Amino acid sequence: MYVPVCDQAFTILNNGNIRCYGTLSIMDTSSILTPFDLTQLDPVILAAAFGAGFSIVGTMSVVGIATAKLLNFIRNPNGR
């Protein structure tokens, strides 16, 4: 895969087109990108990230359910 590279900043014109006022060249992304390798992931950091994500989702779910129950009790104090 190739990407365009300009030696100056790209400019967006009024009509939405992109313009390079410098020298435009093409760069092969294989020289700057490395393929993803699953063995590079640290299991401890990965477990911490998943745990933090599930903690946030779980906390917000409990708060949402508690709020719904509280609002339901305020609207219908007799449980009807």
Side-chain angles (χ1 to χ4, degrees):
M1 184 171 156
Y2 297 95
V3 293
V5 177
C6 184
D7 62 352
Q8 296 181 7
F10 284 103
T11 305
I12 300 175
L13 303 176
N14 291 335
N15 60 5
N17 291 338
I18 299 173
R19 172 87 185 207
C20 172
Y21 289 103
T23 304
L24 184 66
S25 59
I26 303 296
M27 179 181 282
D28 185 12
T29 58
S30 64
S31 63
I32 56 174
L33 299 177
T34 57
F36 178 73
D37 185 11
L38 191 59
T39 60
Q40 293 177 344
L41 296 177
D42 184 10
V44 174
I45 295 175
L46 193 60
F50 273 102
F54 285 128
S55 297
I56 292 171
V57 171
T59 302
M60 291 300 124
S61 297
V62 168
V63 168
I65 292 169
T67 303
K69 296 287 184 184
L70 179 64
L71 291 175
N72 191 20
F73 176 73
I74 292 171
R75 283 189 225 137
N76 303 316
N78 296 331
R80 294 183 186 179

